[in-house]
Amino acid sequence: MAVLDKKLQDEIETLTDLAYEKFLNNEIEESFILSEQAWDLYPDPKENWNEAYNTASSIVDDCLKIKDFERAKKWLNNMIMVNNNLHLNDEDLNFYLGKYFFEIGDYLKAKEEWDNAVSLAGYRVFEGEDPRYIDFYRHPEKYLKN
């Protein structure tokens, strides 16, 4: 895995910090513009940079919070691209995919992704997450109606 130049890493962190601030201040589009600018700073091919995975996952988190599922899907694909190259976060990626599928109401796919995440990392993947996720995982019958 390559290591980013310190100056470039600092620029990316500055943009992502600003994006986070904008998001907290409900300046949603400005936040996403800054996040995309941060993403664009990663040298090509972007899938060589572990930090790019983190940037994309942060954007997915924000998208899921505001239920912007189309944008979330785009950034999940970026996470997949990086992970397919580096394989650093298989359980994390499975968990994010599960969150996405849960939020769009595709509970079968959410369960499949979370089965994969739990098999790789155990129930710790649910720590600090929305309690609905672990409730669903432990009691899928409440969600999966026949």
Side-chain angles (χ1 to χ4, degrees):
M1 174 178 57
V3 176
L4 282 176
D5 172 75
K6 169 112 174 79
K7 183 177 181 239
L8 181 57
Q9 181 65 44
D10 289 346
E11 287 179 57
I12 291 169
E13 286 178 15
T14 297
L15 286 169
T16 55
D17 289 347
L18 281 170
Y20 179 70
E21 227 175 90
K22 294 282 187 190
F23 190 84
L24 290 178
N25 290 325
N26 209 31
E27 298 173 61
I28 304 302
E29 283 310 311
E30 294 87 346
S31 172
F32 287 125
I33 288 168
L34 290 166
S35 294
E36 291 212 21
Q37 288 173 355
W39 174 264
D40 289 342
L41 288 177
Y42 290 105
D44 287 324
K46 297 193 185 321
E47 59 266 22
N48 285 347
W49 306 100
N50 184 46
E51 296 91 340
Y53 179 92
N54 298 333
T55 298
S57 69
S58 175
I59 296 169
V60 170
D61 279 334
D62 290 346
C63 291
L64 293 177
K65 286 175 189 164
I66 63 169
K67 303 196 181 307
D68 184 344
F69 301 122
E70 272 308 304
R71 195 181 322 229
K73 186 176 181 180
K74 170 190 171 185
W75 288 99
L76 276 166
N77 284 328
N78 285 332
M79 289 173 67
I80 291 166
M81 174 186 67
V82 175
N83 194 66
N84 282 349
N85 188 48
L86 299 178
H87 294 287
L88 297 175
N89 297 296
D90 291 335
E91 68 276 359
D92 186 66
L93 180 58
N94 290 130
F95 191 78
Y96 269 91
L97 289 166
K99 284 170 51 169
Y100 171 77
F101 288 124
F102 179 88
E103 294 298 341
I104 65 168
D106 191 336
Y107 299 122
L108 285 175
K109 284 187 181 176
K111 178 83 167 68
E112 287 173 21
E113 293 296 341
W114 284 339
D115 283 342
N116 291 332
V118 168
S119 74
L120 291 168
Y123 282 90
R124 70 180 172 82
V125 296
F126 291 100
E127 290 175 6
E129 293 290 341
D130 188 323
R132 295 177 306 145
Y133 300 155
I134 189 75
D135 180 63
F136 162 74
Y137 191 72
R138 287 188 172 145
H139 310 286
E141 68 281 357
K142 288 170 41 177
Y143 299 80
L144 298 169
K145 309 285 186 212
N146 288 336

